[in-house]
């Protein structure tokens, strides 16, 4: 029903920046709440950021607030995660997620559609 493809991951030094992109297809993009989650080796998948259908409301994990910015371009069917001031603890696989009926934006089981993930590695 919905396919999500992440891109933009890579290796960056601490203090650097990366911008992740998630391209959606298969459904009207404007109907989807979009989120970003991440999973480090041996750890649970955790919430990073989310954005409402129109882009008017955003939500962030406390660990990334002030450093990361989520945005969307509905004309391009794409959601972005701008990551600044990166730290080694940000190293993880980052996953894009989507759903049409999200109530609690930070809850994993609210999202039915997931991308394959993109690796972000921050070196010290």
């Amino acid at each position: 029903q919905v396919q999500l493809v992440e891109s933009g991951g890579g290796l960056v030094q601490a203090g650097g920046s990366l911008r992740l992109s998630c391209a959606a297809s298969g459904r009207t993009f404007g109907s989807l709440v979009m989120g970003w989650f991440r999973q480090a080796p041996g750890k649970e998948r955790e919430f990073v950021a989310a954005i409402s259908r129109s882009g008017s409301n955003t939500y962030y994990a406390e660990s990334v607030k002030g450093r990361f910015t989520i945005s969307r371009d509905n004309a391009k069917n794409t959601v972005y995660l701008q990551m600044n001031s990166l730290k080694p603890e940000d190293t993880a696989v980052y996953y894009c997620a989507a759903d049409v009926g999200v109530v609690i934006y930070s809850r994993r089981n609210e999202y039915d559609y997931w991308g394959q993930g993109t690796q972000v590695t921050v070196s010290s």
Side-chain angles (χ1 to χ4, degrees), residues 13 15 19 26 28 40 42 44 47 54 65 69 72 75 97 102 109:
Q13 293 182 346
R19 189 181 74 160
T28 301
E44 293 290 313
F47 171 74
S54 67
K65 193 173 297 182
T69 302
R72 66 191 296 161
V102 171
N109 61 14

Side-chain angles (χ1 to χ4, degrees), residues 66-86:
R67 300 188 298 121
F68 291 10
T69 302
I70 188 171
S71 62
R72 66 191 296 161
D73 186 339
N74 286 357
K76 297 181 178 179
N77 291 358
T78 302
V79 64
Y80 305 95
L81 185 68
Q82 178 67 47
M83 305 185 294
N84 298 326
S85 301
L86 283 163

